[in-house]
Amino acid sequence: MIYVSAPEHGEPSDPAMKAHALHATVTALLAGDKGLLAMDESTPTCNKRFAALGIAQTEESRRSWRELLITTPDLSNSISGAILYDETIHQSRQDGTPFVKLMADAGIVVGIKVDTGAKALAGHPGESVTEGLDGLRDRLTGYAALGARFAKWRAVIAIDAALPSTACIAANAHALARYAALCQEAGLVPIVEPEVLMTGDHTLQRCAEVTEQVLHEVFEQLHVQRVLLEALLLKPNMVLPGLTCAHQESVDEVADATVTTLLRAVPAAVPGIAFLSGGQSPELASARLNAMNRRFKGRAPWALTFSFARAIQQPALDIWRGEPGNVQQAQRALQQRAACNRAARQGKYADLADAAD
Ligand code: 13P
């Protein structure tokens, strides 16, 4: 039961009922040690992934790929919800069955990316602010009518010797909080995603400091905008050394740094933390999530789960390459990564964790 303040006289909807529906969605997303499949790449990002493998960059290719993902047998054994892109939520399987119906039939909760992308932040070279607030209230109503029950908004924070700026953190935290408030008003659970990038040669310590600073600002803004913490999921980066940093910490060190940072900045009222993979290999992303669940079992106040895109999809995409004859093998690879991450939620991915050290 979530406590919410009493409705004002004459207020049309009952906040307690709304909170109850949001809570039911959060519970469904976190149930059974399952996690989220992020398949919400924008068209340019999806095309970039296709181009790297020589796959045609057409609407039909993107539809076929998303059909492969959604129709993977037994996907719902490990995946509770999937995040779609605007193009995808309107698409259907080859036989005309809408993707949202297939997902509902499989018991997979429908999510939708609602930001319109990270754009250059004026006056701050190398930094971005995520846009999409204009008209968002109406778009959220439309997505809810299509069957979406949760949403996602990604803010991007770059690190270098001088970055991030105070302005970048403030602008992105403000936008995330405004988005989250609108989502809850529309009955959608917001996934709040402030991503501190892995790109660069910064140390793990520096990533920890920046991540903590960003999270403090995000939760301050969520409080200011009256967002109900019990009815959101946080989607942060793991605390990692930069990709080109000479020293790469072990799986256990990453797990400790990540959870320590989150404990300092994320209120216990938040029900779940669903990590992005951010360019880690699929095996390392699973191993690090596994180590967090193993080492902090019973001590972390929130569920530690996954909302990976590349770390679930990439092995399957490498197999598919746009060839209909490769669909079944690609689906098996997807199923396997999804199952590995469910095991990581349970702290049962131990063998691979050791191998990844
Ligand atoms: P990755 O897991 O590939 O980082 O993607 C997660 C995501 O949803 C980015 O917004």
Side-chain angles (χ1 to χ4, degrees), residues 4-350:
V4 288
S5 47
E8 304 276 329
H9 178 69
E11 204 168 297
S13 61
D14 178 351
M17 268 176 58
K18 202 169 266 179
H20 183 76
L22 292 168
H23 189 238
T25 301
V26 166
T27 302
L29 292 175
L30 295 175
D33 295 321
K34 299 177 193 182
L36 308 181
L37 167 62
M39 45 177 288
D40 60 326
E41 297 83 0
S42 64
T43 296
T45 301
C46 188
N47 284 347
K48 196 169 75 183
R49 307 254 152 87
F50 282 7
L53 294 169
I55 301 167
Q57 293 130 65
T58 62
E59 182 176 347
E60 178 49 24
S61 288
R62 293 189 296 275
R63 194 207 59 76
S64 299
W65 172 239
R66 269 71 184 250
E67 174 173 331
L68 181 157
L69 298 175
I70 288 171
T71 61
T72 291
D74 298 327
L75 188 63
S76 61
N77 287 351
S78 313
I79 299 296
S80 55
I83 313 170
L84 308 181
Y85 182 57
D86 180 70
E87 178 179 88
T88 319
I89 201 170
H90 294 98
Q91 287 175 328
S92 302
R93 191 168 61 184
Q94 191 103 50
D95 67 1
T97 314
F99 284 161
V100 288
K101 171 156 180 17
L102 294 174
M103 290 171 67
D105 290 350
I108 296 177
V109 184
V110 176
I112 180 75
K113 170 191 172 75
V114 299
D115 66 71
T116 55
K119 308 286 160 57
L121 180 64
H124 294 80
E127 300 199 286
S128 65
V129 61
T130 299
E131 295 189 348
L133 288 173
D134 288 352
L136 182 57
R137 176 178 273 126
D138 291 343
R139 288 197 293 125
L140 291 172
T141 308
Y143 288 134
L146 284 172
R149 286 173 61 195
F150 70 105
K152 188 197 95 168
W153 179 292
R154 171 175 177 254
V156 184
I157 313 288
I159 305 188
D160 74 8
L163 305 183
S165 67
T166 310
C168 173
I169 297 174
N172 279 295
H174 176 79
L176 276 168
R178 296 258 326 269
Y179 139 82
L182 283 163
C183 282
Q184 291 185 345
E185 179 190 271
L188 298 178
V189 168
I191 295 197
V192 173
E193 181 179 4
E195 175 175 4
V196 176
L197 294 174
M198 286 173 75
T199 316
D201 63 358
H202 53 272
T203 61
L204 171 139
Q205 181 56 33
R206 173 100 176 108
C207 178
E209 286 163 11
V210 171
T211 301
E212 186 178 336
Q213 190 188 358
V214 167
L215 292 175
H216 279 309
E217 184 67 20
V218 167
F219 281 99
E220 168 65 18
Q221 288 298 315
L222 290 169
H223 175 68
V224 168
Q225 298 297 333
R226 301 185 178 170
V227 174
L228 191 60
L229 297 184
E230 291 87 344
L232 63 79
L233 296 178
L234 179 71
K235 177 164 173 169
N237 51 287
M238 295 185 192
V239 171
L240 304 170
L243 271 176
T244 51
C245 179
H247 182 64
Q248 295 287 318
E249 278 77 1
S250 70
V251 166
D252 284 351
E253 286 168 330
V254 164
D256 289 358
T258 301
V259 180
T260 301
T261 301
L262 294 169
L263 283 169
R264 289 176 180 165
V266 182
V270 171
I273 294 182
F275 292 99
L276 58 94
S277 59
Q280 304 174 71
S281 71
E283 293 77 12
L284 266 179
S286 301
R288 288 162 169 164
L289 178 63
N290 182 74
M292 287 181 226
N293 279 303
R294 192 166 38 83
R295 293 167 78 78
F296 290 87
K297 194 174 173 56
R299 282 198 288 150
W302 354 259
L304 290 166
T305 183
F306 58 93
S307 176
F308 298 156
R310 283 164 285 181
I312 297 182
Q313 292 185 42
Q314 197 60 46
L317 187 62
D318 289 342
I319 293 168
W320 179 58
R321 289 179 180 264
E323 296 295 333
N326 296 338
V327 166
Q328 282 186 8
Q329 203 195 335
Q331 288 182 326
R332 276 196 293 276
L334 188 85
Q335 226 177 33
Q336 197 219 351
R337 280 322 323 157
C340 285
N341 290 311
R342 178 162 185 259
R345 263 202 77 179
Q346 301 166 319
K348 292 184 178 166
Y349 184 69

